[in-house]
Amino acid sequence: MAILVCGGAGYIGSHTVHQLAAKGESVVIVDNLATGHRAALHPAAKFYEGDIRDSFVLDRIFTENQIEAVIHFAANSLVGESMENPLKYFNNNVGGMQTLLEAMVRHHVDKIVFSSTAAVYGEPKRVPIREEDETNPTNAYGETKRTMEKLMKWVSRANGIRYVSLRYFNAAGALDDGSIGEDHSPETHLIPLILQVPLQKRAAITIFGNDYATPDGTCVRDYIHVLDLADAHVRALEYLRQGGASDIFNLGNGKGFSVKEMIVAAEKATGKSIAVQTGARRAGDPAQLIASSEKARRVLGWQPQYIDVERIIRTAWSWHKSHPDGYTD
Ligand code: UFG
């Protein structure tokens, strides 16, 4: 039996495939390569270039392979773009989830691990954020991910599919050897943008607002290493195999770092000084996002290994240093 990884050529998908392969799992990947990269594909995985909104592609994959469970990463994930083009996000993210679940029902595949996000919470009423806290997304991206969770909820009740939804906070870092990593186009995430300064691809990092109600005025986020996220997917899969009920888990380190603190940590991780300028706030940014991951630790036995933010940045640095222009393919 194999695990179908939708979006296995993307950032978190490729790291999860790496982890699954290391554990001896047989992996099938489907990815339309719209934002994923051929060079990020694991050599041991069977690859289908295709779109999960295409039910013929899914039928072919489910017929040609014995799929035991699905891990679903295939989605658009840029907050800003989702505000400019919400229909693209509803079409690809929600539409993709619908055709995927339909195919799973048709082919009697009953387990799915889903890549969700802290963006489902919107502006939190308290930190650390717990899974039962109110969800009120402030951007279309978060709304699509929440809708995808709801699709799984109703389908699980009606069709017996069990799911685990993993709500990541700020994914960061790369494989320690720098062979795979983060490559978004356009890049909007803080750590890759900070590292463009020592790479001499950017003159300075702009801090988006220094007047937030946080200790140093800049936004606070909970950065979690991509391999710790990958490990949570492997554990969630095992949890479903053991008969675990459908559930939702936050994934973060439980410790917040401000934008300014991240820049200082990046200076230490790279050994280079990083020029900084202050700009306006970015629309839709909550002041603070910090996870309570107590439930994932308790139920999944998950224990993040990369708890030092400087170490997380060092892994990102080894990827960006060796791939200053990202993937070539
Ligand atoms: N930031 C800057 N300057 C930059 C880029 C980012 O100051 O050049 C700040 C942002 O304002 C934010 C922090 O750095 O305060 C982190 O920004 P990212 O874009 O790296 O991450 P976000 O917290 O905005 O986004 C993350 C995930 C999204 C998810 C969101 C939930 O990447 O997928 O959390 O709000 F939707």
Side-chain angles (χ1 to χ4, degrees), residues 117 119 141 170 188-190 193 206 208 219 221 282 285 289:
T117 169
Y141 164 66
N170 287 61
T188 62
H189 295 100
L190 180 65
L193 291 176
T206 304
F208 293 152
C219 286
R221 294 289 181 272
R282 186 172 68 176
D285 272 346
L289 289 174

Side-chain angles (χ1 to χ4, degrees), residues 10-288:
Y11 173 40
I12 303 168
S14 60
H15 286 80
T16 301
V17 171
H18 174 86
Q19 213 88 325
L20 288 166
K23 289 213 155 13
E25 299 280 359
S26 164
V27 178
V28 176
I29 294 174
V30 58
D31 198 303
N32 66 5
L33 300 180
T35 54
H37 304 275
R38 198 176 289 278
L41 290 168
H42 195 283
K46 184 171 174 185
F47 174 55
Y48 289 82
E49 184 172 349
D51 197 301
I52 58 162
R53 287 166 294 181
D54 184 341
S55 58
F56 293 104
V57 168
L58 292 179
D59 278 342
R60 191 175 148 220
I61 295 170
F62 283 113
T63 306
E64 290 180 359
N65 303 278
Q66 277 207 306
I67 303 295
E68 177 202 353
V70 175
I71 306 185
H72 181 24
F73 300 96
N76 291 109
S77 63
L78 299 178
V79 171
E81 185 189 47
S82 80
M83 299 301 278
E84 283 158 22
N85 197 352
L87 289 172
K88 171 177 176 179
Y89 277 66
F90 278 90
N91 183 306
N92 190 34
N93 295 4
V94 179
M97 178 63 102
Q98 179 169 344
T99 43
L100 178 62
L101 290 172
E102 284 166 354
M104 288 176 67
V105 171
R106 267 198 311 282
H107 295 274
H108 311 290
V109 177
D110 64 355
K111 296 183 273 300
I112 177 168
V113 178
F114 172 57
S115 164
S116 188
T117 169
V120 300
Y121 293 108
E123 187 70 53
K125 293 216 168 70
R126 62 171 179 180
V127 291
I129 301 170
R130 305 182 71 88
E131 291 81 354
E132 63 272 22
D133 289 354
E134 190 187 331
T135 54
N136 192 12
T138 50
N139 54 64
Y141 164 66
E143 192 76 72
T144 62
K145 288 275 173 163
R146 183 69 187 115
T147 308
M148 293 159 88
E149 289 184 339
K150 287 182 177 170
L151 273 178
M152 290 192 299
K153 181 182 91 174
W154 294 109
V155 172
S156 77
R157 289 187 187 181
N159 303 93
I161 288 176
R162 284 174 300 121
Y163 68 89
V164 165
S165 182
L166 299 173
R167 293 177 176 167
Y168 326 144
F169 282 61
N170 287 61
L175 211 61
D176 282 301
D177 67 3
S179 59
I180 52 173
E182 186 171 11
D183 179 2
H184 298 111
S185 184
E187 188 53 78
T188 62
H189 295 100
L190 180 65
I191 295 174
L193 291 176
I194 292 177
L195 295 179
Q196 284 180 2
V197 182
L199 282 173
Q200 297 183 319
K201 294 172 72 76
R202 172 179 294 270
I205 181 74
T206 304
I207 297 176
F208 293 152
N210 63 357
D211 57 352
Y212 285 95
T214 58
D216 67 17
T218 66
C219 286
V220 170
R221 294 289 181 272
D222 183 341
Y223 294 88
I224 181 77
H225 197 270
V226 64
L227 286 180
D228 284 324
L229 294 180
D231 177 55
H233 290 77
V234 175
R235 286 172 187 276
L237 176 66
E238 210 42 56
Y239 164 85
L240 289 174
R241 279 178 172 156
Q242 303 296 324
S246 296
D247 213 338
I248 295 177
F249 300 94
N250 287 340
L251 299 178
N253 264 315
K255 192 167 168 8
F257 289 88
S258 72
V259 175
K260 280 187 181 165
E261 286 173 328
M262 291 303 285
I263 296 167
V264 171
E267 287 186 320
K268 288 189 187 146
T270 60
K272 296 178 190 288
S273 73
I274 293 172
V276 179
Q277 61 190 31
T278 304
R281 288 183 176 200
R282 186 172 68 176
D285 272 346
Q288 259 200 91

